[in-house]
Amino acid sequence: MDDVSQMKHASGIGRRPVLRGLLGGAAALGAPLGAPAVHAQEPVTLRYLGLGVNQSQAIAQRCKEETGITLEYTTGVHEDIVRRVVTQPSTFDLVDTDFSAVRQLMPSGNMAGIEVKRVKMAERIAPLFTRGEVAGRRIGDQGSAPKKTAFLTGVRSKGFATGPTEWMSLIPINCNGDTLGIRPDLIGRSIGSWAELLNPEFKGKAALVNSPSVGIMDAAMVAEAIGKVTYADKGNMTKAEIDATLGLMTEAKRAGQFRAFWSDFNESVNLMGSGETVIQSMWSPAVTKVRSQGIPCVFQPLKEGYRGWGLGLGIPRTLEGRKLDAAYDFINWFLSGWVGATLLRQGYYPSVPETARQQMEPYEWAYWMEGKPAERDVRSPAGVVVEKAGTVRDGGSYEQRMGRVACWNSVMDENAYLIRKWNEFIVA
């Protein structure tokens, strides 16, 4: 990525242009972005707490080279990050987390609202995050859709605004629509529904992600698909709906349906790559990694749609002075193109697609974003061939995939009850 120059408010941009951009979606890019402004001041280190999706040595090295900022990574699962933010806000300088976590983080008072006018690319953030729209059409928003918790009423707000304001809880950085990963070579037939996760045909060969806010939504997609549970809003279940959903999953678990409940990216890759599982909750880049090993694996589009998620960068209220300025510099650098292109080559969708496009070859963009057959072999950020020429991305284009999101990772009103019942399910 290549631009951490002065913030927009320094050049006189005011509130109306910023909000007009957020309301109107991504604006057309003008001239190519300039070279990054490397810090001439004293060195600064940002302690970066995150889920690991957007953390890599390559990103840290590039950031250091182009901004002078050193990143010090701490990685944890969703529950670890929430606990750290709520109880130890002085132990990190940036948090990279799911928008589903925001309902737990902001009420603590430990997160500061992010000043939109200091975010250079705010006007170009995809409307999926700000309005819940793809190609001008509203998509499913059951669960913690980013638009529900993206905007705040002020810098110290503990609640959320109903539309765009000058303050955001997190600055969106990437998203995806998740579905089931399958081993077509070991299954030998087409898979078209979430219901297949509980098909006895795959007894002992299925897996589910072990995270209450994520796994419960996958479980709900399954329960709804097989007609066992009807939800008023599966993104905000009642206790009775939680009981019915996890009761179904517990019954399947005791019958031996599940091989595992995975907790991290590499575990999901190893399960599928080894053939221990043939169908499971999966993330797009995990499928890509399995395929990069020469093993058939498909990120399977399903008739009921995808479970969406969106990540963003947040700032703790304890940050001030030089580190606060550096945090905004890092956010601007992150959105300016190079990281977005790197993440897109792994299967994630960047929040500012246009800047990522400037850092990609036309054939790459056509494959990853437009759903067109690859004109040449498609390579990962490390240069490994992950798709052969002629391949079409699973699920097609960005509009086809994200346009079919049915629900999102969710933190519900009955979250404490859900966590207790989820833990009972896992140990049943």
Side-chain angles (χ1 to χ4, degrees), residues 106 109-115 152-158 165-169 315-317 324 328:
M106 299 312 296
N110 290 340
M111 296 292 292
I114 299 177
E115 195 173 1
L152 307 172
T153 56
V155 66
R156 295 289 183 234
S157 172
K158 295 183 180 182
T165 67
E166 295 183 31
W167 305 94
M168 297 188 77
S169 57
I315 297 175
R317 62 170 175 78
L324 180 59
Y328 277 102

Side-chain angles (χ1 to χ4, degrees), residues 1-4 33 48 53-56 58-64 66-67 71 73 96 173-174 313 330-353 355-357 359-360 381:
M1 294 194 184
D2 56 4
D3 195 346
V4 289
L33 298 171
Y48 185 134
V53 172
N54 303 308
Q55 297 178 345
S56 74
I59 291 175
Q61 181 177 338
R62 183 91 173 200
C63 177
K64 176 70 172 180
E66 298 195 348
T67 72
L71 299 177
Y73 289 140
D96 172 348
I173 51 178
N174 61 343
L313 288 168
F330 176 76
I331 289 170
N332 282 308
W333 177 81
F334 197 107
L335 299 182
S336 65
W338 186 86
V339 177
T342 298
L343 296 173
L344 187 50
R345 292 185 182 106
Q346 297 175 61
Y348 302 121
Y349 294 115
S351 63
V352 186
T355 56
R357 184 173 190 171
Q359 302 286 335
M360 305 184 81

Side-chain angles (χ1 to χ4, degrees), residues 48 56 95 223 226 246 284 330 332 342 376 378 403:
Y48 185 134
S56 74
V95 60
I226 62 179
L246 293 181
S284 179
F330 176 76
N332 282 308
T342 298
R376 289 149 52 185
V378 178

Side-chain angles (χ1 to χ4, degrees), residues 192-215:
S193 172
W194 281 89
E196 296 279 15
L197 188 68
L198 292 192
N199 190 324
E201 178 183 344
F202 308 125
K203 180 178 179 179
K205 294 285 188 176
L208 187 68
V209 58
N210 184 9
S211 170
S213 64
V214 182

Side-chain angles (χ1 to χ4, degrees), residues 128 132-134 137-141 147 402-405 408:
L128 174 145
E133 295 180 358
V134 172
R137 185 177 63 85
R138 290 192 176 185
I139 61 175
D141 64 357
K147 70 173 185 179
M402 297 309 294
R404 294 193 61 244
V405 165
W408 297 78

Side-chain angles (χ1 to χ4, degrees), residues 8 84 91 138 145 152 205 311 353 387 409 420 426:
K8 287 193 173 183
R84 176 77 73 94
T91 62
R138 290 192 176 185
L152 307 172
K205 294 285 188 176
L311 301 185
E387 300 292 355
N409 293 355
R420 177 163 64 84
I426 293 298

Side-chain angles (χ1 to χ4, degrees), residues 232-289:
D233 178 358
K234 59 180 168 290
N236 195 21
M237 298 181 196
T238 63
K239 288 182 178 179
E241 290 169 342
I242 292 170
D243 288 344
T245 305
L246 293 181
L248 178 66
M249 293 295 114
T250 300
E251 181 181 343
K253 181 175 185 287
R254 288 174 172 160
Q257 183 71 13
F258 298 108
R259 170 65 181 83
F261 300 92
W262 58 265
S263 298
D264 64 55
F265 177 94
N266 288 326
E267 188 178 1
S268 73
V269 170
N270 293 337
L271 285 167
M272 191 63 81
S274 66
E276 291 182 66
T277 61
V278 298
I279 186 168
Q280 66 177 35
S281 301
M282 212 160 183
W283 302 335
S284 179
V287 171
T288 300
K289 187 167 183 179

